[in-house]
Amino acid sequence: MSQPEQPLYPKLSSIYNKIMQLAIAIFFIVLLMNLSLFSQQQSQHGIEQNFDYAGRQYLSQASAGIQVLLAREKDKELQAYIDSLSQTEIIKEILVYDPSGQVLVSSSGIGTVKDLYGISLNKLNLSKDFIPFAQEIRTNKLLGYVRITLEKPYLTEQLSKTSNEQHQLTRLMMIIAVGVGFLLTRGFSRFSRQGFRLAPSK
């Protein structure tokens, strides 16, 4: 008598299991990559917030000194104060306006808003690197306005570089972990097949 054919179900079940395991592994890899990308975006958002806070602190400190000098009408001392502030590397330029919007004093080497946004002829758009902050200067009345332009990369470049390096290292560790998991799975699978293999009948 011929032996009955072996059913295909065990073989198909094994294939389905492998496909399911592969699909689950791919899902978790994609999930981890998305989490890494989200974390990097959150870090960048935190850096942007930190720069905005620092910029407003610089503006507030400059405004306090300018307010005192404007109230006393100390034009020469005001110019000297503006010049001293502009020596700070992060500060690109400072302008002080009167209540009508006319420039009272300014740091040396200032450019126009058109220059900043690359609207002027033969000028590049530098608005991403140089960020202006402005506010009113007043006591019991409006004394004027101050606009301070800060060099953004001076504060954010090193933080962004460190953040990117950390996330690249995290992604590399994820890839290594996936590779190690794959090798361990194959190793245990072979060990299991060899360990439970029946001895051939004599």
Side-chain angles (χ1 to χ4, degrees):
M1 292 179 60
S2 60
Q3 293 183 352
E5 295 183 359
Q6 295 294 327
L8 296 177
Y9 175 77
K11 293 182 180 179
L12 293 176
S13 177
S14 177
I15 294 173
Y16 289 150
N17 286 338
K18 290 181 179 179
I19 293 175
M20 182 63 68
Q21 290 172 358
L22 180 61
I24 293 173
I26 292 174
F27 170 78
F28 278 109
I29 290 173
V30 173
L31 179 62
L32 288 173
M33 289 300 179
N34 285 335
L35 288 175
S36 176
L37 180 61
F38 176 76
S39 176
Q40 187 172 8
Q41 291 174 343
Q42 289 294 102
S43 296
Q44 189 61 39
H45 180 66
I47 291 172
E48 295 289 337
Q49 287 185 322
N50 180 70
F51 172 75
D52 185 71
Y53 175 78
R56 296 189 183 283
Q57 290 298 310
Y58 273 100
L59 179 64
S60 178
Q61 293 173 7
S63 178
I66 293 170
Q67 175 184 322
V68 174
L69 296 173
L70 278 179
R72 296 178 180 177
E73 298 182 354
K74 302 286 187 178
D75 293 343
K76 290 183 178 180
E77 294 181 13
L78 178 59
Q79 182 64 62
Y81 179 64
I82 296 298
D83 290 339
S84 66
L85 289 178
S86 64
Q87 298 302 313
T88 306
E89 293 184 358
I90 190 177
I91 298 177
K92 184 178 185 293
E93 59 187 26
I94 305 176
L95 294 96
V96 180
Y97 304 89
D98 66 14
S100 66
Q102 298 296 317
V103 177
L104 288 175
V105 295
S106 65
S107 58
S108 59
I110 64 168
T112 64
V113 174
K114 290 183 178 181
D115 293 341
L116 179 65
Y117 285 90
I119 300 174
S120 300
L121 187 63
N122 298 325
K123 294 292 184 179
L124 297 175
N125 185 359
L126 302 176
S127 58
K128 291 184 178 180
D129 293 337
F130 298 99
I131 310 299
F133 294 84
Q135 75 174 39
E136 293 181 345
I137 302 173
R138 62 169 62 245
T139 50
N140 56 343
K141 65 176 182 178
L142 179 63
L143 300 177
Y145 308 89
V146 57
R147 176 166 68 87
I148 180 171
T149 302
L150 302 181
E151 185 176 350
K152 185 177 180 180
Y154 187 85
L155 281 180
T156 62
E157 189 172 16
Q158 186 58 44
L159 292 175
S160 296
K161 181 180 178 181
T162 302
S163 176
N164 290 334
E165 288 176 350
Q166 289 177 344
H167 285 91
Q168 287 175 0
L169 180 60
T170 301
R171 285 192 286 268
L172 178 60
M173 293 172 64
M174 289 179 183
I175 294 172
I176 293 174
V178 170
V180 171
F182 175 76
L183 294 175
L184 289 175
T185 301
R186 286 181 60 85
F188 281 123
S189 177
R190 290 178 180 178
F191 175 77
S192 177
R193 289 199 301 269
Q194 292 174 358
F196 291 96
R197 186 177 297 169
L198 296 176
S201 59
K202 295 182 180 180

